[in-house]
Amino acid sequence: MNIAVSSTIDRVPAALRGWLAKPRPMLINGKWVMAKSGKTFDVHDPATEMKLASVAEGDAADIDEAVRAARRALEEGPWSRLSPAARGRMIHRIGDLILANLDELAQLESLDNGKPFSVARVADVPLSADMFHYMSGWCTKIEGKHIPLSALAAGGQYLSFTRPEPIGVVGQIIPWNFPLLMAAWKLAPALATGCTVVLKVAEETPLSALRLGEILMEAGLPDGVVNIVTGFGETAGAALAAHPDVDKVAFTGSTEVGRLIVQAASRDLKKVSLELGGKSPNIILGDADVDAAIAGATAGIFFNHGQCCNAGSRLFVQEKIFDKVTAGIAANAARIKIGVGMDPETEMGPLVSEVQHGRVKGILKSGLEEGARALTGGSAIGNRGYFVQPTVLVDTKPNMKVVREEIFGPVLVATPFKDADDKLIAAANDTIYGLAAGVWTKDIAKANQIANRLKAGTVWINCYHVFDSALPFGGYKQSGWGREMGQAVLSNYLETKAITTNIS
Ligand code: ADP
């Protein structure tokens, strides 16, 4: 099968092509600057492998300047003097401006990441706007508590209360799978709590966050409150995670890099929150609505080309419907229209990079060599661009690499089970990860009993990939520390001060 990969960039308006044609600077202290070293690096369209743009290659020196700007903005600037309501209005305006630039942001996301424009337009960009809108409401609702004292007969002699305060200067490091949305998940709560930020975006996909930087300035954010640095993980990212004047590091990415972040942050005992990998079980019981389960499991693994930390990548299906369900998912997979993201017909684009393409092909090969059988897919496709066939593997064994490792590509491993018993729960939990899970059955009591026993931060019953700015999201086990989104994320960015006054 061949894929037409010509002329993606010709499909976007001239103004955006002009924006891409200029080397893209970084946002530091409210100014657009190139790297101190003068270096730039190229970003590529993963569908055509052609250069899309060149961006500043920030390193430790630029991170240092950005951290200083964030510190000044926190300690001296107008930001901390804004009333909570005024801060909320500014954050809300960011959401409005994201929606006002919906098409352009979706085009950038599609070109840079490879995902379909049509998907970015209905998912990535509106969800990013919603995150700012949702978080803007929290600004006026971050409250402390009065605490009654009992020790040493203190009651009545002291007035004690807690005062939540911004944690300070936050270093945020994000991945490439949802470039704009991950920036929104990180920035919106940090701003809502009154922190200042240095954001290091993924080197594969820096463009939409740079465009977001322009939006932040347009919304009136004071200089230095958000600084956006482009550069590589080992240089810019590592310098941010280890910077002595950063109070907290918030990271989303691989579990492997999460460990490096913790090591780098440990010297100064910085606070750390992590949203890491997954290998999520999706369980279909024999009494499920089979059509709905097939559709849900298909989307559960193939949405965003499987490049989701919460992808439902390990499917467990009760024996009596195993063949029907796996055949249904395989038929859906074979029908997915693969192509360049800017083609309106495209349902699945390329993987993000040559590195990911190599990784996914390698792990697929190992699975097939170890005896797994592909009901559909099983290899890369096309002779240009990082395309991989949506793949459904059966006849797998629990110790195979395809079953144990996060693939971060469109590869499902399916296993039959006899009864919904302890063995099933043990198999579903047999992973180092604990991010998400799915359960499909008409028996809602049983679904909830299973949900309670799954070691995962999110469980979807008769649905999958349902995200909302109000819903906390994060991992058990090696899937991370802390939660993104919802009220829960606020604690990532707040310190609690207890203040006691002698009133005797
Ligand atoms: P993936 O494996 O999904 O590409 P990574 O975890 O490698 O994701 O990358 C996520 C983010 O972490 C990116 O912004 C990347 O630049 C950054 N990163 C990679 N290595 C390091 C490191 N050693 N220290 C800090 N950040 C890093």
Side-chain angles (χ1 to χ4, degrees):
M1 180 180 167
N2 239 329
I3 293 167
V5 292
S6 60
S7 72
T8 55
I9 201 159
D10 300 343
R11 300 180 195 221
V12 304
L16 185 55
R17 288 205 301 277
W19 190 88
L20 289 166
K22 295 192 200 100
R24 298 313 320 169
M26 309 178 284
L27 179 62
I28 298 181
N29 200 25
K31 312 278 175 312
W32 290 98
V33 296
M34 298 308 289
K36 285 178 185 298
S37 68
K39 285 193 197 164
T40 58
F41 66 100
D42 292 344
V43 291
H44 294 94
D45 175 344
T48 62
E49 303 180 35
M50 280 155 63
K51 177 181 162 180
L52 258 184
S54 78
V55 301
E57 186 185 328
D59 61 19
D62 306 287
I63 289 287
D64 188 52
E65 183 161 332
V67 171
R68 283 170 202 270
R71 175 61 61 190
R72 276 197 307 275
L74 182 82
E75 311 284 350
E76 301 164 20
W79 180 238
S80 52
R81 292 193 294 273
L82 277 182
S83 71
R87 196 165 77 237
R89 281 194 296 275
M90 203 174 276
I91 296 170
H92 202 273
R93 205 175 307 141
I94 298 168
D96 292 347
L97 287 170
I98 289 174
L99 289 180
N101 290 279
L102 174 66
D103 280 345
E104 189 176 274
L105 287 165
Q107 284 154 359
L108 269 179
E109 211 68 324
S110 173
L111 289 178
D112 205 5
N113 168 279
K115 67 178 68 196
F117 166 70
S118 55
V119 173
R121 202 174 179 286
V122 298
D124 299 58
V125 183
L127 286 173
S128 302
D130 189 65
M131 190 64 188
F132 285 98
H133 285 153
Y134 169 83
M135 279 297 159
S136 69
W138 276 113
C139 296
T140 48
K141 295 158 198 79
I142 297 171
E143 298 169 345
K145 270 187 189 163
H146 166 250
I147 316 268
L149 305 191
S150 299
L152 308 171
Q157 297 175 43
Y158 298 98
L159 171 67
S160 291
F161 65 94
T162 57
R163 184 180 135 89
E165 295 183 350
I167 208 164
V169 172
V170 181
Q172 302 185 320
I173 301 174
I174 57 170
W176 45 258
N177 57 343
F178 295 90
L180 184 71
L181 186 59
M182 291 302 101
W185 279 21
K186 289 281 183 276
L187 292 176
L191 294 176
T193 49
C195 295
T196 61
V197 178
V198 177
L199 175 72
K200 208 296 279 176
V201 297
E203 49 269 48
E204 294 84 354
T205 55
L207 299 176
S208 57
L210 292 176
R211 185 68 192 86
L212 175 65
E214 296 176 354
I215 287 173
L216 299 178
M217 293 290 96
E218 195 182 336
L221 217 57
D223 292 352
V225 171
V226 172
N227 305 273
I228 302 177
V229 177
T230 48
F232 293 95
E234 301 75 26
T235 48
L240 183 56
H243 196 290
D245 205 29
V246 166
D247 298 300
K248 190 238 153 71
V249 182
F251 172 75
T252 295
S254 60
T255 293
E256 187 190 350
V257 174
R259 259 185 217 105
L260 296 175
I261 300 282
V262 169
Q263 282 164 17
S266 70
R267 198 189 54 186
D268 303 315
L269 297 178
K270 291 189 210 332
K271 274 61 176 179
V272 177
S273 53
L274 304 167
E275 201 260 277
L276 306 174
K279 189 79 180 174
S280 299
N282 197 5
I283 301 169
I284 304 179
L285 303 194
D287 70 346
D289 174 338
V290 171
D291 292 340
I294 289 172
T298 304
I301 180 62
F302 298 126
F303 176 64
N304 211 41
H305 326 162
Q307 301 171 130
C308 299
C309 45
N310 56 294
S313 52
R314 286 183 303 136
L315 186 72
F316 295 90
V317 188
Q318 201 149 16
E319 265 171 11
K320 60 179 177 184
I321 57 166
F322 182 80
D323 289 343
K324 186 172 179 192
V325 168
T326 49
I329 297 170
N332 284 345
R335 273 196 297 270
I336 291 174
K337 178 103 179 44
I338 301 171
V340 302
M342 286 306 298
D343 183 335
E345 304 274 288
T346 294
E347 293 168 339
M348 184 184 282
L351 299 185
V352 74
S353 66
E354 192 177 358
V355 171
Q356 278 307 113
H357 199 225
R359 269 191 207 158
V360 173
K361 284 190 296 184
I363 200 161
L364 262 178
K365 187 161 170 275
S366 88
L368 295 169
E369 281 171 4
E370 285 179 310
R373 181 164 57 90
L375 287 184
T376 187
S379 61
I381 31 169
N383 39 26
R384 200 159 155 214
Y386 309 127
F387 297 93
V388 172
Q389 290 176 316
T391 298
V392 177
L393 297 178
V394 294
D395 299 345
T396 57
K397 300 274 177 310
N399 58 349
M400 286 181 182
K401 224 167 137 178
V402 278
V403 176
R404 303 222 72 79
E405 288 187 16
E406 180 177 43
I407 299 177
F408 229 67
V411 182
L412 180 69
V413 295
T415 313
F417 66 88
K418 197 156 179 298
D419 299 305
D421 56 9
D422 290 354
K423 262 174 75 181
L424 170 67
I425 301 293
N429 286 332
D430 181 20
T431 166
I432 61 168
Y433 298 111
L435 198 52
V439 185
W440 298 82
T441 170
K442 291 193 184 118
D443 184 338
I444 296 303
K446 186 179 278 178
N448 277 279
Q449 286 159 16
I450 293 173
N452 288 349
R453 298 183 65 193
L454 292 172
K455 294 195 165 59
T458 291
V459 181
W460 286 294
I461 296 174
N462 294 333
C463 57
Y464 209 90
H465 283 318
V466 177
F467 280 94
D468 195 283
S469 301
L471 267 177
F473 176 74
Y476 283 38
K477 300 194 272 183
Q478 293 185 37
S479 287
W481 293 350
R483 293 292 177 269
E484 306 289 321
M485 301 198 287
Q487 184 176 4
V489 71
L490 300 175
S491 65
N492 286 354
Y493 297 107
L494 291 169
E495 287 281 18
T496 298
K497 182 175 281 174
I499 298 183
T500 296
T501 309
N502 182 343
I503 54 167
S504 65

